[in-house]
Amino acid sequence: MLMITTPEATHTAEAPALRRPEVPSRTGPAFVAAVLFVLHCAFALRNHARFRTTGYDLGIFGQAVRSWAEGRLPASEIRTATAPAGFGGEALPLLGDHFHPVLALLGPVYRLVPHVEVLLVAQAALVAVAVYVTGRTAQAHLPGRPFAGPLVGVACGLAWGTQTLVGFDFHEVAFALPPLALACRAYLDGRLRAAVWWAAALLLVKEDLGATAAVFGLLVAHRARGLGDRRGRRAGWLLAGGSVLAAALVLKVVIPGFAPDGRYLYAEQVGGAYGLLDGWPVKALTVLALLAVTGGLVVRSPLAWLLLPTLAWRFTSSVPSHWEPGLHYSAVLVPVAFAALVDAVRRGARPPVPGLRGAGRQGPGPLRAGAPLLVPLGVALLLLPLQPTAQLATPGFWRESPREAAARAAVELVPDGVRVAASNTLAPHLTDRTVVRLAAPGLLDRDPAVEWLVADRLDGFPAGAVDGALREAAADPGWRVVREEAGIVLLTRVP
């Protein structure tokens, strides 16, 4: 017997996925998000106070946001330390480095509260929003599991990808987390055009996320076709095609147009044979860590396709730090992975753990109902002692060392409004009230010349930069030592 599947029949078959069941109270996910926001703020602010943040990247982004607050396009004096050869300007145009106009949103906030700590609090808030949305997604689509929202929220907030972002100063990819979480939520709800709008916001976060938006458009178009949703299908194709065109425009026109040497600096890092063939033990560890945070269920959802663009550019990069799971590059994978986990569980998938596989079918008890979510939570808790925020529980994290006290005293002696060269760990403490360059050879006398130099002798980034800058100052009789204690040196030019 020939059966013809009509759009109405397809829509009926998908109806359980599109129903908006009555969901539990928002209190659980909101509480989890609020607690994580407080913890992440406490860690980030104390870490900054301990001089553990750096000019690369907090100082650079602090200068970018300060530029937006003052009505200027983002530029950074610190970034000139690794500028293209031949660059002689005072500040490097940051839109010629990466495309991140979303940072302009922090400009008005910084204008009201002109402190670099605003960036750290904003990052914690963005993570908290993504955690809350992901928790609510679990509540909406796993209604038979009363603790799904808090469990998924905790696992998402403590996942290694999230923790590496919080532990690494500030980075623009934090702005990608809420749109990704909201786009995945709308996709699972069947609100495909809303999903397209949220995914389109990724184009303003960073140039590499255009590929993610394009893949999301293809997913939307495919699902809309199955639902007989012509408008949703058209929106998906527009997102896919528009994202490809926008990414090409940014990479070929916008960034080169702002770049001092007229090219996209990072193009040569991606696609080489060295990056593709080397480092697979490290790359395999990253993939295993990604699978572990969802109990292996991430691959049971179409949303897993959204992970491939980020993994692709990282694994084809010639920079080894891009391959490993220890930096902030994995943060954008976390909301997608947990939305895919929710999707997989609602489809009936179970973790590949015999005890939990059976437990998930033994009845309606809350613990048994939430069994598929216990593996991701257990992995997050197991890895927690290795994560940056675990330092909150160590007494030494809250005690000020003599070196920190010396660094604070030296920084406070630098007058407002001057030009200063600072070592990497001291630079972000001066971006709010001075013009800061990195303490490195050749930068002390670049026009206009700096008037102050403050450096930590043990600062190792860039390699040899601090020693070179101090040697230059020692050879110039125009410099005078104002203070030196615990390896922190402060010098000023003699009029």
Side-chain angles (χ1 to χ4, degrees), residues 441-462:
L443 295 183
L444 299 185
D445 295 317
R446 176 178 288 179
D447 188 42
V450 297
E451 305 153 88
W452 290 77
L453 169 61
V454 58
D456 182 347
R457 290 187 181 276
L458 296 183
D459 204 323
F461 180 86

Side-chain angles (χ1 to χ4, degrees), residues 117-430:
E117 289 86 349
V118 163
L119 281 68
L120 300 175
V121 174
Q123 180 166 266
L126 292 167
V127 170
V129 170
V131 167
Y132 171 75
V133 172
T134 304
R136 290 287 290 167
T137 301
Q139 282 186 324
H141 292 280
L142 302 175
R145 297 169 171 84
F147 299 110
L151 285 176
V152 170
V154 171
C156 178
L158 298 182
W160 57 270
T162 307
Q163 292 293 298
T164 53
L165 174 65
V166 173
F168 186 77
D169 291 8
F170 171 88
H171 204 274
E172 76 263 61
V173 298
F175 279 96
L177 270 60
L180 280 169
L182 288 162
C184 290
R185 167 70 188 272
Y187 175 87
L188 295 181
D189 288 348
R191 297 178 291 112
L192 300 183
R193 280 173 289 162
V196 164
W197 281 110
W198 285 119
L202 298 174
L203 299 174
L204 302 177
V205 177
K206 197 163 178 273
E207 64 275 6
D208 61 276
L209 290 171
T212 302
V215 172
F216 197 94
L218 295 178
L219 288 178
V220 168
H222 181 267
R223 185 166 189 206
R225 179 182 180 182
L227 297 176
D229 181 356
R230 292 184 178 179
R231 296 178 67 183
R233 186 181 181 188
R234 184 164 56 248
W237 281 113
L238 284 174
L239 175 63
S243 297
V244 172
L245 291 176
L249 181 66
V250 166
L251 294 173
K252 297 295 185 181
V253 178
V254 178
I255 293 180
F258 283 100
D261 57 353
R263 64 191 183 93
Y264 179 49
L265 174 64
Y266 305 99
E268 59 195 33
Q269 296 180 356
V270 179
Y274 174 78
L276 180 62
L277 300 178
D278 270 12
W280 277 104
V282 177
K283 295 171 183 176
L285 179 62
T286 300
V287 173
L288 288 175
L290 181 61
L291 292 174
V293 296
T294 61
L297 298 184
V298 63
V299 296
R300 302 291 297 274
S301 167
L303 291 174
W305 289 102
L306 296 177
L307 305 174
L308 296 184
T310 296
L311 292 176
W313 79 255
R314 288 174 61 185
F315 288 176
T316 58
S317 172
S318 60
V319 180
S321 62
H322 291 161
W323 311 335
E324 62 188 49
L327 290 179
H328 55 276
Y329 303 111
S330 296
V332 296
L333 304 176
V334 174
V336 174
F338 280 93
L341 167 67
V342 170
D343 186 30
V345 173
R346 76 171 183 170
R347 292 167 181 263
R350 295 290 186 272
V353 179
L356 289 180
R357 181 181 294 273
R361 298 188 178 122
Q362 289 176 11
L367 182 59
R368 291 168 182 168
L373 307 177
L374 294 179
V375 170
L377 179 61
V379 170
L381 294 176
L382 182 66
L383 296 178
L384 185 58
L386 306 177
Q387 305 300 344
T389 50
Q391 298 176 59
L392 289 167
T394 60
F397 185 75
W398 301 98
R399 286 197 296 262
E400 183 174 77
S401 69
R403 192 175 197 83
E404 294 164 24
R408 183 164 292 104
V411 166
E412 290 174 352
L413 287 175
V414 178
D416 293 351
V418 300
R419 285 181 171 82
V420 56
S423 59
N424 195 36
T425 54
L426 304 180
H429 293 264
L430 290 161

Side-chain angles (χ1 to χ4, degrees), residues 51 66 405-423 426-437 439 449-456 479-483 488-493:
F51 293 87
R66 181 178 175 180
R408 183 164 292 104
V411 166
E412 290 174 352
L413 287 175
V414 178
D416 293 351
V418 300
R419 285 181 171 82
V420 56
S423 59
L426 304 180
H429 293 264
L430 290 161
T431 55
D432 298 329
R433 58 186 182 87
T434 66
V435 178
V436 187
R437 295 178 194 162
V450 297
E451 305 153 88
W452 290 77
L453 169 61
V454 58
D456 182 347
W479 286 98
R480 174 175 62 88
V481 176
V482 175
R483 174 189 175 90
I488 309 298
V489 187
L490 176 65
L491 301 93
T492 186
R493 285 189 187 271

